[in-house]
Amino acid sequence: MTVRTRFAPSPTGFLHIGGARTALFSWAYAKKHGGQFILRIEDTDVERSTPAAVQAIMDGMHWLGLDYDEGPFYQMQRMDTYKKVLQTMLDKGTAYHCYSSKEELEALREAQTLAAAKPRYDGKWRPEAGKTLPIVPAGISPVIRFKNPQTGSVVWDDLVKGRIEIANAEMDDLIIARADGTPTYNFCVVVDDYEMGITQVIRGDDHVNNTPRQINMLNALGATVPQYAHLSMILGDDGQKLSKRHGAVSVMQYHEDGYLKEAVLNYLARLGWSHGDAEIFNMQQFCDWFDLDHITPSAAQFNTEKLSWLNAHYIKEANIDELSSDIATRLAALNIEVKLQPKLQDVLGLYRERVNNLNQLANDIAYFYALPQASASDIEKHITPEVKPALHELAGQLATIEWTAEAIHHEINQVVTRLQLKFPKIAMPLRVMLIGIAQSPSIDQVMALLGQKETLARIQTVLKY
């Protein structure tokens, strides 16, 4: 049997972290087994589904590199298929028309609630042997309900949660088509999974309650029931259910916030799954290792610090040309144009070991391409009357040397030794003059990259005041 998995988001918002993890696990399972991964857009919620949300899902999938073998399929474009299956079920007696009005159902629900009974449809229009159905009322368009079995149980061995059993008596007859003829979510999912030959359904555990109904409908259609794997929810850093209030829960927001896709993918892969003690791995390794046996059935907790740690690793390991392209784009967003000198790749080589975020990296190196503005307090604190003579002397010496980090370091040492100063006494003022702040990598390496002309110009500009 060829493995066929699917990711089936509803386009009512962005691709969030939970959805991205589901997509990743479904994608990896198909890759591991040489199968197909299908993308299906479940857009039957017409009021909430938007083209912008569809695009957000596609953008997120593309950025993460979760390529699909088939699709995207849109449920709203498959209405004729659903209606044919509905008619087949009506003809076979596995579905029926229900004429109960909205008012009747509300009154029934109120009575059941008052009696402390579980609210459920009473089967008024359910056809049974020997049962006389009510006279069809005028002016009411019927819904279609699935004729759910009333005895026995639905049992499945969930690939994450283990054996689950739900008594059929716990379920009433689900509406599978509304009065206007449009099919409902649970019915569309069943038809799609059947017709697309889905073999493993990997999805969030908020769908566990839908599963017994869907299995019963698949059985009614004579379909092979797929295996189910229900992933537990993701909790935020604070242990609460992950939500918008936790900040960046959109996949593309992580991109905007300076995370590499490799870090996000690696982090998502470890969010509820493990392979021994492996913490850092690429997607080829993940697909080779991935199984459903090592997914924890308990909730996974998001850890922003861990994600940042992974991001720092991947920034260090990133292809320098690809990293340069990304940082140039982020600098452009700050209205900073990258010049030919210093070479951006060389600048990143100096700085990328020091950061865990691409936005931080762009901000930290901006001074190479845009004149920094040191604060008055930093100038007053570091450019003191005591150190100015040393800075003037150093500037004169720097104007005559071969411009290398080693030669620059030698000249600074010469000046501080001659004037009996400690190295930081001159290094800190140099940083303030050259980059606008008192912290940076080795000042001689910074000066070497900044260039002789630019370095001397910035020193002289500050020393004039």
Side-chain angles (χ1 to χ4, degrees), residues 184-394:
T184 59
Y185 165 78
N186 273 294
F187 177 74
C188 294
V189 168
V190 165
V191 174
D192 288 342
D193 285 347
Y194 173 31
E195 294 209 339
M196 294 177 187
I198 302 303
T199 56
Q200 283 80 26
V201 173
I202 301 170
R203 60 187 179 186
D205 65 1
D206 53 326
H207 289 285
V208 167
N209 289 338
N210 293 328
T211 303
R213 297 180 180 277
Q214 292 175 9
I215 289 175
N216 278 340
M217 281 189 272
L218 285 163
N219 287 331
L221 291 171
T224 300
V225 177
Q227 294 179 298
Y228 290 92
H230 289 95
L231 311 176
S232 294
M233 71 172 67
I234 300 172
L235 304 178
D237 291 281
D238 58 0
Q240 300 300 308
K241 184 177 179 181
L242 198 65
S243 65
K244 289 182 181 179
R245 66 187 176 80
H246 290 91
V249 291
S250 161
V251 166
M252 294 310 293
Q253 187 65 49
Y254 285 96
H255 170 56
E256 292 172 19
D257 287 350
Y259 291 91
L260 285 166
K261 71 175 182 181
E262 291 83 0
V264 174
L265 285 166
N266 192 159
Y267 185 73
L268 287 177
R270 285 286 287 112
L271 203 54
W273 173 87
S274 62
H275 179 77
D277 295 327
E279 291 287 351
I280 297 175
F281 43 82
N282 60 40
M283 285 302 99
Q284 183 58 58
Q285 291 172 306
F286 177 54
C287 290
D288 290 343
W289 295 339
F290 184 68
D291 56 21
L292 298 171
D293 297 336
H294 290 87
I295 296 175
T296 176
S298 57
Q301 187 158 353
F302 199 88
N303 186 319
T304 304
E305 286 186 10
K306 179 74 171 290
L307 174 59
S308 295
W309 173 77
L310 278 170
N311 206 41
H313 166 80
Y314 282 104
I315 289 173
K316 293 183 184 77
E317 298 294 318
N319 175 282
I320 195 66
D321 291 330
E322 292 177 6
L323 186 62
S324 298
S325 176
D326 189 304
I327 295 301
T329 300
R330 293 176 193 273
L331 287 169
L334 300 172
N335 295 317
I336 296 173
E337 180 184 356
V338 175
K339 303 180 181 70
L340 293 177
Q341 293 297 328
K343 240 181 121 178
L344 184 53
Q345 287 89 336
D346 294 338
V347 173
L348 294 177
L350 180 61
Y351 263 90
R352 68 171 170 175
E353 297 274 341
R354 302 167 57 90
V355 300
N356 60 19
N357 182 284
L358 295 176
N359 289 342
Q360 178 190 352
L361 182 53
N363 284 321
D364 283 357
I365 68 166
Y367 70 85
F368 280 102
Y369 305 104
L371 193 64
Q373 294 294 321
S375 68
S377 60
D378 272 347
I379 291 175
E380 183 180 354
K381 178 180 178 181
H382 296 288
I383 318 297
T384 63
E386 175 193 5
V387 81
K388 273 190 176 183
L391 293 170
H392 278 290
E393 182 176 334
L394 177 62

Side-chain angles (χ1 to χ4, degrees), residues 137-151:
I140 292 182
S141 298
V143 300
I144 298 176
R145 290 184 183 270
F146 171 61
K147 194 176 182 183
N148 195 76
Q150 294 181 316
T151 59

Side-chain angles (χ1 to χ4, degrees), residues 172-185:
D172 60 0
D173 291 352
L174 183 72
I175 294 175
I176 57 176
R178 303 175 184 89
D180 63 2
T182 59
T184 59
Y185 165 78

